[in-house]
Amino acid sequence: MITGKLYAVGVGPGNPDMLTIKAVKTIDMADVIACPAKNSEPGIAYQIAKQVCPDISTKEIMLLNFPMKMENLSKTHQEVANEISNKLKLGKNVAFLTLGDPEFYSTFFYIAEIIKEQGHDIEIINGITSFSAFGARLQLPLSLGRDKVIITSGEYITFDGTLIILKAGSRLKEIKNKSLENGKTVYMVENLGMPDEKVCYGVESMPDEAGYFTVVVVR
């Protein structure tokens, strides 16, 4: 039986110009667009892709609603995987949109493991990560020579190298205090590549709290 294929498509951190050619081709080819929803509407990843792929609005849209509480996620992952699997069994190709790159803190891989167990093929379309776009935006090298780099999700780690903290908005006060204690230089971007982007150089210019899409680099 011929089945469709599931594609994870990274749409980049915010600026639609950062979609790769392969991402655009995959979105244009897909029969179904699966994307996280917000208030029963397609979320940020969809809105970014739509600016480059206007035909996306003519495709079948699968809205994915993920609860905020971790204990409810396993059931939701299974339900979403089954819904996608039903489309694949009909021979439809499904593009699962993710912000940034699917390899970094994406919900996709929880779904992908179930899809693979059900015998379907998947393919990953890499996207530009928020931290690589961060370095370009600030003209800041994230590593040179033998520099070490650690990437965390909201966590400050005392470390002799470059520390990249994703999803840092709710932890800014702690990050600022620890950076000062350790004599580190801090850079922050909120909503990178989006119309309301905010860039901060140094602890003094940073707020104590910011939105979910906040990246901090500590050096």
Side-chain angles (χ1 to χ4, degrees), residues 145-213:
R146 296 175 180 263
D147 289 352
K148 299 180 179 65
V149 178
I150 287 182
I151 301 170
T152 72
S153 178
E155 182 181 4
Y156 185 100
I157 294 176
T158 301
F159 167 65
D160 186 18
T162 298
L163 173 63
I164 299 170
I165 309 175
L166 308 181
K167 306 177 184 180
S170 64
R171 306 283 293 275
L172 287 184
K173 188 172 183 178
E174 175 191 351
I175 292 168
K176 289 165 61 178
N177 290 336
K178 290 186 175 180
S179 298
L180 286 172
E181 290 172 7
N182 292 285
K184 299 290 187 178
T185 302
V186 186
Y187 309 85
M188 184 202 94
V189 180
E190 180 182 10
N191 297 330
L192 178 63
M194 302 179 191
D196 54 349
E197 175 186 276
K198 180 179 180 181
V199 179
C200 296
Y201 297 85
V203 168
E204 296 78 9
S205 65
M206 290 170 56
D208 287 342
E209 191 170 335
Y212 182 78
F213 300 113

